[in-house]
């Protein structure tokens, strides 16, 4: 059955059950309209009620401030022509309302999302609602805390708090929004709800227009918890005492590369029907021939063989699997995928994949990545970072970016098709792992949004979760209401991240480098909880650009203490030549300002001393040093001296080498190998997010 719009009377019956009371009376002829106007009292508003006219204001279906029966009669004549006649049988008529006093126009709406269920929104209302697009959204039955957070994220919310002396009833809107969320949760056949405008006054509000759309065939997602047996299998994969690689083969093959990458596992068993040894390990013809039942089985064989051997593995008592093999749903073999899922659920043995690059666990040594070491940038030293990627390619990029920046990595998972274990299951594991303090996620589609939200809330209370998402386009194809036109699929995901407490990166979502730089800053710098930034620049242009980006990203430029300013002036003054003393005041005019320009004649000593001075400044939290390492006056020993200086500093030092010459790259590598990491673009946005994380969690992620 096709979805349809409820008329005013039908809508009012549903809304009134939740103490949501729209204004007005629906009528179906001129006589009834004139009587309703008389009873309500002039001035009145007349609005069309017709399935053929969705956005009434655009079609001339709204007449305001009608002050007499004559004006009402004239408006009714025009509307009857517009609608092609009134009809009680077809519920085609008009709504007569009292003309309300002027207030602040707000939108309160909701819709059913296929991945997250009921989503409620609040924001700027009126006829320009799509133009302003000033709305915030949240999932499920809301709490006062949820709605307050939503309002804080909108300009409408700031107006409700009081603007230029005008105060509105914010608490009443919070309660209305909660009622709407409850209505949507308890009436899943209502696919869209639109209260627009809600006229808000100093005390109370008036619901001027309502629109409810019903879809009798709509199926909304049910909330699901992570199955205990799935979580047990995931834990077993990351604590594997023994591993079998089915499809292990000679060097140069995928199975051969996987086996070689897993050589740190002490009880590692290659499985191949014909080979006797591989990489010096005894090879076994089948799982049954192994000296023990392996904890974990890695599959690198055809999809048909995978299903058959996975069943044997389950019957033998295996604990968890990683299915690298492709050829399932993505190749049209949905039947094979369903067989795998049924086996998994029957024997309570979960797997990661299929069609994935598997797991890298630098704590246990398990590494099912099939990329040869010589073709990639391996990251083998463990730290507190966990990475989950829905895309194997993006996951590989993240590894190589971390490796190129000399960063470390704790755990990495490519979930592939996620037939049994998706992001929520892996996130739950990493959330409970004390070795992992910082989690990064790349995903594209969300098949189990409610589960992600539930798990995410628990994990994000303990440790930060940074997310980038591909495929952010979307939106309703046929928007019957303002709510639908404003609420695309990415908006639902954004609401999920906001409620869960994730850090969603929305600038440069196509570039994982921004995520890598967040991880790098957090794991290579000491914690700070302030956002006052000092910029030290050898070359004025770089300092100015960095200062602009700092203020644009909600951070502040340090206002140096008087003693700091004087020390910086003295630092510049002591290097002045005799012929410069006559223009000393001009040269020192900006000395001690932020950004600090150390001038073109800067040598190592001036740069290092300036950083020391700023490190002692009471009004500075972070130091950024923009350095042109190429300039001749800076010595080739500067990288080594910066490494030594870093050990003396109390504050984060973000070094931004300018340029991309071979010499600059060599200097960056030298410093990174000695735990002094440098940053190229994007740098300021990652720093802003890192500062938010430090402030929220008050936790040090420093990789000692």
């Amino acid at each position: 059955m096709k979805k349809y719009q409820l008329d005013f009377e039908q809508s009012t019956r549903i809304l009134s059950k939740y103490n949501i009371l729209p204004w007005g009376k629906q009528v179906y002829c001129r006589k009834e309209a004139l009587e309703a106007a008389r009873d309500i009292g002039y001035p009145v508003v007349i609005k069309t009620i017709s399935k053929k006219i969705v956005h009434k204001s655009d079609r001339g279906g709204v007449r305001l401030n009608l002050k007499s029966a004559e004006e009402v009669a004239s408006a009714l004549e025009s509307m009857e022509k517009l609608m092609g006649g009134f009809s009680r049988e077809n519920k085609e008529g008009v709504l007569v309302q009292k003309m309300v006093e002027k207030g602040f126009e707000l939108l309160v709406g909701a819709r059913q999302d296929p991945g997250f269920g009921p989503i409620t929104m609040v924001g700027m209302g009126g006829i320009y609602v799509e133009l302003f697009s000033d709305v915030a959204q949240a999932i499920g039955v809301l709490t006062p805390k949820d709605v307050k957070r939503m309002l804080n994220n909108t300009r409408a919310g700031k107006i409700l708090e009081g603007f230029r002396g005008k105060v509105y009833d914010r608490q009443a809107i919070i309660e209305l929004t909660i009622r709407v969320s409850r209505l949507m949760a308890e009436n899943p056949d209502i696919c869209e709800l639109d209260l627009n405008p809600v006229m808000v006054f100093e005390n109370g509000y008036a619901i001027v227009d309502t629109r409810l759309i019903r879809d009798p065939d709509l199926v909304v997602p049910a909330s699901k918890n992570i199955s205990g047996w799935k979580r047990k299998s995931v834990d077993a994969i990351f604590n594997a005492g023994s591993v079998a690689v089915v499809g292990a083969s000679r060097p140069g093959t995928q199975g051969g590369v996987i086996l070689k990458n897993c050589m740190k596992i002490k009880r590692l068993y290659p499985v191949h029907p014909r080979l006797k040894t591989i990489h010096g390990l005894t090879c076994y013809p089948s799982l049954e021939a192994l000296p023990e039942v392996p904890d974990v089985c890695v599959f690198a064989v055809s999809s048909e063989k995978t299903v058959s051997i996975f069943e044997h593995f389950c019957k033998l008592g295996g604990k968890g699997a990683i299915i690298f093999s492709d050829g399932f749903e993505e190749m049209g073999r949905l039947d094979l995928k369903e067989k795998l899922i049924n086996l998994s659920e029957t024997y309570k043995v979960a797997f990661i994949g299929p069609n994935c690059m598997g797991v890298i666990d630098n704590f246990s040594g398990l590494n099912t990545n099939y990329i040869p070491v010589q073709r990639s940038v391996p990251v083998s030293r463990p730290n507190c970072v966990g990475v989950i990627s829905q895309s194997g390619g993006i996951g590989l990029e993240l590894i190589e970016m971390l490796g190129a920046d000399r960063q470390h990595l704790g755990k990495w998972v490519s979930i592939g098709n996620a037939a049994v274990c998706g992001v929520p299951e892996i996130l739950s594991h990493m959330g409970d792992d004390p070795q992992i303090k910082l989690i990064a996620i790349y995903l594209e589609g969300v098949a189990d949004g409610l589960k992600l939200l539930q798990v995410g809330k628990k994990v994000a209370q303990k440790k930060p979760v940074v997310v980038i998402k591909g495929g952010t386009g979307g939106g309703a194809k046929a928007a019957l209401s303002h709510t639908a036109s404003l609420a695309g699929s990415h908006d639902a995901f954004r609401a999920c991240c906001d409620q869960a407490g994730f850090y969603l990166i929305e600038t440069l979502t196509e570039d994982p480098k921004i995520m890598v730089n967040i991880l790098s800053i957090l794991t290579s710098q000491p914690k700070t909880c302030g956002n006052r930034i000092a910029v030290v620049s050898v070359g004025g242009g770089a300092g100015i650009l960095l200062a602009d980006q700092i203020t644009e990203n909600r951070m502040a430029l340090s206002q140096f203490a008087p003693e700091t300013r004087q020390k910086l002036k003295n630092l510049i003054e002591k290097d002045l030549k005799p012929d410069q003393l006559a223009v000393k005041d001009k040269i020192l005019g900006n000395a001690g300002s932020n950004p600090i320009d150390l001038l073109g004649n800067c040598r190592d000593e001036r740069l290092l001393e300036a950083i020391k001075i700023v490190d002692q400044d009471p009004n500075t939290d972070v130091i950024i040093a923009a350095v042109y390492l190429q300039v001749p006056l800076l010595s080739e020993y500067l990288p080594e001296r910066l490494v030594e200086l870093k050990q003396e500093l109390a504050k984060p030092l973000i070094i931004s080498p300018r340029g991309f010459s071979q010499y600059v790259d060599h200097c960056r590598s030298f410093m990174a190998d000695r735990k002094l990491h440098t940053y190229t673009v994007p740098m300021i946005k990652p720093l802003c997010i890192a500062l938010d994380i430090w402030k929220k969690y008050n936790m040090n992620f420093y990789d000692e």
Side-chain angles (χ1 to χ4, degrees):
M1 188 174 177
K2 203 172 181 181
K3 62 182 179 180
Y4 60 93
Q5 182 176 326
L6 303 183
D7 63 33
F8 180 79
E9 292 175 342
Q10 293 170 324
S11 299
T12 300
R13 280 196 293 271
I14 295 174
L15 292 166
S16 61
K17 292 179 182 178
Y18 297 88
N19 199 27
I20 303 171
L21 306 174
W23 282 24
K25 183 177 181 180
Q26 183 172 337
V27 295
Y28 301 101
C29 67
R30 296 191 192 187
K31 179 182 177 183
E32 290 176 352
L34 289 166
E35 290 174 351
R38 181 194 64 207
D39 295 342
I40 290 172
Y42 294 102
V44 296
V45 177
I46 306 292
K47 301 176 181 177
T48 57
I49 295 178
S50 172
K51 297 174 183 176
K52 294 172 283 188
I53 303 174
V54 177
H55 297 304
K56 299 181 284 293
S57 299
D58 299 342
R59 299 281 303 278
V62 179
R63 296 294 181 88
L64 305 174
N65 203 27
L66 303 176
K67 299 177 181 177
S68 66
E70 290 74 19
E71 291 183 4
V72 170
S74 175
L76 289 168
E77 183 177 356
S78 299
M79 289 183 175
E80 192 169 10
K81 290 179 182 178
L82 176 66
M83 296 168 60
F86 299 138
S87 170
R88 189 180 303 274
E89 180 181 356
N90 296 324
K91 300 290 185 180
E92 298 274 315
V94 296
L95 177 65
V96 183
Q97 295 176 309
K98 179 71 176 176
M99 181 73 187
V100 299
E101 61 181 285
K102 185 64 178 175
F104 176 56
E105 294 186 351
L106 202 71
L107 162 71
V108 180
R111 70 183 181 97
Q112 302 288 356
D113 183 86
F116 293 97
I119 296 181
T120 304
M121 67 170 59
V122 62
M124 202 83 75
I127 62 174
Y128 300 116
V129 60
E130 287 94 352
L131 178 64
F132 291 125
S133 294
D134 178 51
V135 295
Q137 305 180 43
I139 299 164
V141 177
L142 306 182
T143 65
K145 182 179 179 181
D146 291 327
V147 183
K148 288 175 184 176
R149 185 182 63 251
M150 294 164 70
L151 291 173
N152 289 339
N153 290 335
T154 63
R155 288 175 300 210
K158 293 176 175 61
I159 293 172
L160 287 178
E161 288 179 352
F163 184 72
R164 292 189 175 178
K166 188 68 176 176
V167 179
Y168 298 98
D169 197 338
R170 188 169 181 264
Q171 184 59 37
I173 294 304
I174 291 172
E175 294 170 2
L176 172 62
T177 307
I178 292 171
R179 291 190 201 110
V180 168
S181 72
R182 188 174 298 117
L183 182 157
M184 294 297 289
E186 295 175 3
N187 297 269
D189 59 325
I190 302 299
C191 61
E192 297 171 27
L193 181 151
D194 211 8
L195 308 180
N196 180 44
V198 177
M199 202 69 75
V200 191
F201 312 118
E202 187 173 344
N203 293 297
Y205 58 83
I207 300 174
V208 177
D209 204 355
T210 64
R211 182 176 296 110
L212 272 70
I213 298 170
R214 172 174 281 155
D215 184 351
D217 300 325
L218 185 67
V219 178
V220 298
S223 178
K224 294 180 181 179
N225 295 319
I226 290 179
S227 302
W229 62 270
K230 288 186 182 181
R231 182 51 204 277
K232 189 175 179 180
S233 285
V234 172
D235 291 346
I237 290 171
F238 287 102
N239 293 281
S242 55
V243 175
V245 179
V246 176
S249 191
R250 300 294 188 191
T253 64
Q254 291 177 340
V257 173
I258 291 172
L259 181 68
K260 187 174 182 180
N261 285 342
C262 288
M263 292 294 283
K264 290 182 181 179
I265 300 294
K266 291 182 180 179
R267 284 144 51 210
L268 180 63
Y269 303 115
V271 177
H272 192 285
R274 293 180 300 277
L275 299 178
K276 299 300 181 184
T277 61
I278 309 176
H279 296 311
L281 297 174
T282 300
C283 193
Y284 299 87
S286 66
L287 292 178
E288 289 82 356
L290 297 178
E292 63 176 316
V293 176
D295 294 332
V296 174
C297 194
V298 181
F299 290 86
V301 292
S302 69
S303 52
E304 290 87 353
K305 287 182 179 179
T306 294
V307 173
S308 174
I309 300 172
F310 178 68
E311 183 173 9
H312 290 306
F313 174 68
C314 293
K315 289 179 177 179
L316 288 171
K319 297 177 180 178
I322 300 167
I323 301 180
F324 168 81
S325 315
D326 58 6
F328 291 89
E329 185 178 12
E330 78 282 355
M331 298 299 291
R333 293 302 305 269
L334 184 60
D335 58 320
L336 294 178
K337 173 191 169 184
E338 292 299 328
K339 286 180 180 178
L340 271 182
I341 293 173
N342 290 336
L343 288 169
S344 176
E345 292 177 344
T346 298
Y347 293 99
K348 301 294 185 286
V349 178
F351 58 85
I352 295 172
N355 190 28
C356 73
M357 293 174 69
V359 168
I360 298 175
D361 182 355
N362 282 328
F363 298 103
S364 71
L366 180 64
N367 181 352
T368 67
N369 188 356
Y370 77 96
I371 304 297
V373 171
Q374 66 271 21
R375 292 195 177 189
S376 186
V377 184
V379 182
S380 56
R381 179 179 166 183
N383 73 351
C384 66
V385 173
V387 174
I388 308 168
S389 180
Q390 193 169 10
S391 160
I394 297 296
L396 179 62
E397 281 188 55
L398 290 169
I399 293 174
E400 296 196 349
M401 287 178 181
L402 287 167
D405 284 354
R406 272 59 171 189
Q407 292 294 323
H408 306 304
L409 176 66
K411 295 182 177 181
W412 176 94
V413 182
S414 158
I415 63 172
N417 293 358
V420 170
C421 290
V423 171
E425 284 76 16
I426 308 301
L427 179 60
S428 175
H429 165 82
M430 289 189 180
D432 288 340
D433 185 349
Q435 300 172 112
I436 299 298
K437 296 181 181 178
L438 183 59
I439 301 169
I441 301 174
Y442 172 81
L443 50 74
E444 292 161 353
V446 183
D448 39 17
L450 289 178
K451 191 191 295 184
L452 177 64
L453 175 59
Q454 290 170 355
V455 173
K457 283 181 177 180
K458 295 177 182 177
V459 174
Q461 286 179 350
K462 300 179 288 186
K463 55 189 72 173
V465 179
V466 184
V467 178
I468 53 176
K469 183 179 185 297
T472 58
K477 292 182 179 179
L480 292 179
S481 68
H482 297 293
T483 298
S485 64
L486 289 168
S489 58
H490 185 59
D491 298 288
F493 182 74
R494 185 185 292 116
C496 170
C497 291
D498 188 42
Q499 279 178 271
F502 296 163
Y503 290 86
L504 176 63
I505 302 169
E506 295 195 85
T507 56
L508 300 175
T509 53
E510 76 281 7
D511 186 358
K513 180 62 176 172
I514 193 169
M515 174 179 279
V516 168
N517 280 357
I518 294 169
L519 303 178
S520 177
I521 290 170
L522 288 171
T523 56
S524 64
Q525 300 292 339
K527 177 191 69 176
T528 184
C529 293
N531 70 344
R532 300 168 299 178
I533 315 297
V535 179
V536 181
S537 173
V538 180
I544 291 169
L545 287 176
L546 287 168
D548 289 342
Q549 294 172 51
I550 285 165
T551 54
E552 286 176 5
N553 280 277
R554 302 181 288 109
M555 295 178 287
L557 288 169
S558 304
Q559 300 297 315
F560 296 138
E563 58 269 25
T564 302
R565 295 173 62 89
Q566 188 59 51
K567 288 178 181 178
L568 290 168
K569 283 188 177 182
N570 294 342
L571 180 66
I572 301 294
E573 185 177 5
K574 72 179 183 180
D575 288 336
L576 293 180
K577 296 179 180 179
D579 60 341
Q580 294 175 320
L581 294 177
V583 289
K584 178 180 72 172
D585 291 342
K586 183 177 181 181
I587 294 174
L588 299 179
N590 289 323
S593 299
N594 191 11
I596 304 164
D597 183 1
L598 295 177
L599 306 178
N601 64 348
C602 178
R603 297 181 184 272
D604 293 11
E605 291 74 14
R606 187 187 298 171
L607 171 61
L608 298 171
E609 185 61 28
I611 292 172
K612 289 180 184 178
I613 291 170
V614 175
D615 188 57
Q616 298 299 316
D617 180 64
N619 300 330
T620 294
D621 302 304
V622 178
I623 306 165
I624 296 179
V627 186
Y628 289 92
L629 293 161
Q630 309 93 316
V631 299
L633 291 179
L634 295 177
S635 79
E636 62 186 42
Y637 297 103
L638 179 59
E640 187 173 352
R641 300 179 76 180
L642 285 168
V643 170
E644 293 175 353
L645 175 64
K646 181 69 167 63
Q647 308 306 314
E648 304 174 20
L649 302 180
K651 295 170 182 173
L653 173 63
I654 309 294
I655 296 180
S656 172
R658 316 304 288 187
F660 298 91
S661 69
Q662 185 176 359
Y663 176 72
V664 171
D665 186 60
H666 172 76
C667 291
R668 293 189 66 209
S669 297
F670 177 88
M671 290 186 281
D673 288 340
R674 289 154 182 81
K675 297 187 178 181
L676 177 55
H677 295 277
T678 60
Y679 306 91
T680 58
V681 292
M683 180 181 69
I684 299 302
K685 182 68 176 179
L687 174 61
C688 178
I689 295 174
L691 290 173
D692 284 345
I693 290 173
W694 273 320
K695 182 178 179 181
K696 177 178 177 180
Y697 290 93
N698 192 28
M699 184 188 301
N700 208 334
F701 307 94
Y702 196 20
D703 185 18
E704 299 291 348

